[in-house]
Amino acid sequence: MSIWESFKIALSSIWNHKIRSLLTMLGIIIGVAAVIIIVAIGQGAKTEMTDELFSMDKNIVELYYEEDMSEDGMAMMTGEQPELSTADIETLAEVPGVEAVLATNMASGSLLVDDEQVDLEITGVGSEFFSARDIQVVEGRPLNQLDNDGMNRVLMIDTVAKKKLFKDSDEVVGEVVDVNDNPYKIVGVYESPVPEQFRFSENGEALMPRSVVSMMFGTMEIESLAVIANNPERISEIGQEAADTLTEAKGLEEDQGRYAIFDFSEYEKEFNTVITVMTLFIGSIAAISLLVGGIGVMNIMLVSVTERTREIGLRKALGATRGKILLQFLIESITLTSLGGLLGISLAFFVSMLISIFAPINAIVSPLVVLIGVGFSAFIGVIFGILPANKASKLSPIDALRYE
C-alpha cells in the first residue's frame, strides 16, 4: 500500500467519525491558535512600543555634560557647565557622519488667548530644527534664521495647543497672543512629533526662536545640543565622536568633566529581551494545551486500533507487513494533528485580524511561528501516534481475526 493510499484511508477514517475527530482535534486547534495569537500580540506590542520609545528621532544622539567622577563613583563638582555657542554648532557640523546639529533651549510660559490662560512648554529652536526633526507644518510657515537673528517675537503652536485655545477658529496664523504678558505673533501650526502619552502637558507645546527664549526668559541661548547621524548603523560611534570633539573644543581637561551621549541601544536591547521572555513564557503556558491535545489524539488512536482489530488482522493475513501497519496508523495520527494545526492557524489569523481592528495594537502573525505551528502539530502526531501504531503493528493476524 502506497503512502497516498494510506493518506486517503486516514482522511476516510476522519470523515467517517467527524464529531469524534473534531473533538480530538480541538485541543490541537486551541493550542496552535493560542500560541500563534500570543506571539502575534507580543510581536505587535514589541513593535509598537519600540517605535514609540526608541524609533522617534532614532538617528538623533543627545549630548550632555558629565561631571568628572571621583574614585568612589561620585560626581566631582568642578564648576558650571561650559557655555555653548554657535561656534560649537559649526564645530560639530564638521564631524564626519554628522548630518545636522540641533541646538535648543527650554522655557515655560503662560499663554493668554481672550480670557483663557494655559501653561505651555516652550522650546527654543533654530531653522535646522524643522528639517532635522521632520516637523510637519500644517498651517503657516516654520521659524527661520531671520527670526533668530532678528529676535522676532514670533511663535508656533502645535495642533494640541490650537485645539485647546482656538476651539472656534479655523485660521490662527497671524493671531497675536500674550505669553507672560508680552505679545507674540503666531506664524505657524505644526503636528506634534511627541506621542500623546509622552507629552509633558495636555495643553500642548510651542516653538520660539531660541534667541527670543534666551532674551525673554533669561536662559542660555543653547542649553542642549544633539547631532543627527547620517548612518543609522553608526549612531553610537558618530555620537561619541561628536561628544569627544565638543569636549576637545571646549578645552576640558580630564578632571574638568566631559561631554557624553545618551545611548539608548542598551535600553532597547533590554526592553526587547523583556518582551521576548514574557511572550515565550505566556506562549509556553498556551503550548500546554498542545500537550493535552496530543494526549487526546493518542487516546482516540488507541480506541481506533481496538475498533479496527479485525481489519488489521485481515490486512496482515493478506500480506501487510508490520512496517506498513505502523506507517498506516502514524499517517492517520499525523493527518489528524496536521488538520488540527491548519484549523488552528486559520483561527489564529481570524482572531489576530479582530484584535488589530478592535484593539489598540496591531497583532503581527509571524510566518515562522505559523510554520513552527504546523510542524509542531505534525510532530505531536508522530510522538503520540507511535504507541497506538506500534500496538496495531504487533497484533497477531490470528488473534486479530478472532477478535469480537
Side-chain angles (χ1 to χ4, degrees):
M1 181 182 292
S2 66
I3 293 179
W4 173 242
E5 289 175 338
S6 298
F7 179 69
K8 287 195 294 184
I9 292 174
L11 288 178
S12 175
S13 177
I14 292 171
W15 182 254
N16 291 333
H17 303 88
K18 292 183 283 292
I19 301 299
R20 187 175 74 180
S21 299
L22 181 61
L23 292 174
T24 304
M25 290 188 292
L26 195 57
I28 303 295
I29 293 171
I30 294 173
V32 171
V35 170
I36 294 175
I37 291 168
I38 289 171
V39 174
I41 293 173
Q43 287 292 326
K46 178 180 176 180
T47 301
E48 188 169 325
M49 294 180 72
T50 300
D51 288 342
E52 289 182 354
L53 292 174
F54 303 107
S55 293
M56 186 181 66
D57 304 326
K58 207 174 180 80
N59 285 19
I60 292 183
V61 184
E62 299 280 349
L63 307 181
Y64 71 96
Y65 178 69
E66 183 179 64
E67 296 278 4
D68 188 46
M69 305 300 288
S70 62
E71 292 182 0
D72 59 0
M74 300 295 290
M76 297 175 63
M77 303 305 292
T78 57
E80 294 183 359
Q81 175 179 342
E83 186 173 349
L84 301 169
S85 65
T86 53
D88 298 320
I89 299 176
E90 295 170 359
T91 299
L92 289 175
E94 295 176 359
V95 175
V98 172
E99 185 174 304
V101 182
L102 294 179
T104 59
N105 53 12
M106 298 291 295
S108 296
S110 297
L111 193 149
L112 179 65
V113 177
D114 297 331
D115 295 328
E116 186 168 1
Q117 180 174 314
V118 296
D119 294 328
L120 288 182
E121 293 292 329
I122 301 171
T123 304
V125 302
S127 58
E128 77 286 343
F129 182 81
F130 296 89
S131 58
R133 291 284 304 273
D134 193 24
I135 301 297
Q136 302 297 317
V137 179
V138 295
E139 291 181 33
R141 66 169 178 85
L143 303 176
N144 54 43
Q145 192 60 43
L146 292 176
D147 293 323
N148 253 303
D149 295 342
M151 294 187 178
N152 298 336
R153 290 193 185 181
V154 295
L155 83 159
M156 298 179 70
I157 59 174
D158 66 6
T159 49
V160 179
K162 178 190 174 182
K163 186 177 180 181
K164 180 83 173 179
L165 296 167
F166 299 94
K167 302 181 181 68
D168 302 323
S169 301
D170 293 331
E171 184 67 40
V172 300
V173 175
E175 293 281 345
V176 176
V177 296
D178 285 340
V179 179
N180 290 3
D181 298 325
N182 291 298
Y184 293 82
K185 181 180 179 181
I186 298 177
V187 296
V189 179
Y190 67 97
E191 192 73 42
S192 176
V194 182
E196 184 177 353
Q197 58 268 42
F198 298 116
R199 291 176 189 152
F200 291 109
S201 171
E202 62 180 11
N203 298 326
E205 299 175 348
L207 300 177
M208 281 187 186
R210 61 173 180 265
S211 59
V212 176
V213 172
S214 176
M215 176 183 68
M216 300 302 295
F217 295 90
T219 68
M220 291 191 295
E221 183 170 343
I222 301 176
E223 289 183 329
S224 63
L225 282 172
V227 296
I228 298 180
N230 61 8
N231 186 348
E233 304 297 327
R234 298 181 57 242
I235 293 176
S236 297
E237 180 185 340
I238 294 170
Q240 189 58 57
E241 188 172 348
D244 294 341
T245 300
L246 186 58
T247 299
E248 184 179 347
K250 304 309 289 184
L252 297 173
E253 302 294 338
E254 289 186 4
D255 59 347
Q256 293 180 305
R258 66 189 63 80
Y259 281 92
I261 63 172
F262 288 107
D263 186 3
F264 288 99
S265 59
E266 291 301 320
Y267 295 104
E268 186 171 0
K269 288 179 183 176
E270 291 179 10
F271 171 79
N272 289 338
T273 300
V274 170
I275 292 294
T276 301
V277 169
M278 289 179 61
T279 302
L280 288 175
F281 177 72
I282 299 174
S284 298
I285 295 174
I288 293 175
S289 61
L290 281 174
L291 178 63
V292 175
I295 294 172
V297 170
M298 182 173 65
N299 183 48
I300 290 301
M301 290 305 296
L302 285 171
V303 172
S304 179
V305 169
T306 303
E307 287 181 345
R308 296 161 63 186
T309 300
R310 289 181 62 82
E311 175 193 331
I312 296 168
L314 182 59
R315 289 185 57 195
K316 279 202 165 189
L318 293 175
T321 64
R322 178 183 174 187
K324 289 183 178 180
I325 299 295
L326 182 68
L327 181 62
Q328 170 65 45
F329 280 87
L330 272 179
I331 289 176
E332 288 191 24
S333 178
I334 293 171
T335 302
L336 194 64
T337 53
S338 297
L339 283 175
L342 292 173
L343 290 173
I345 291 169
S346 302
L347 177 62
F349 270 102
F350 177 72
V351 174
S352 297
M353 183 179 64
L354 292 180
I355 291 172
S356 300
I357 294 174
F358 296 106
I361 189 172
N362 184 29
I364 301 174
V365 178
S366 169
L368 178 60
V369 177
V370 171
L371 290 175
I372 291 174
V374 174
F376 193 64
S377 58
F379 177 72
I380 285 177
V382 173
I383 296 300
F384 289 96
I386 285 177
L387 181 61
N390 188 54
K391 180 183 176 181
S393 66
K394 286 183 177 180
L395 287 176
S396 167
I398 296 175
D399 292 337
L401 289 171
R402 291 167 53 189
Y403 180 83
E404 293 294 334

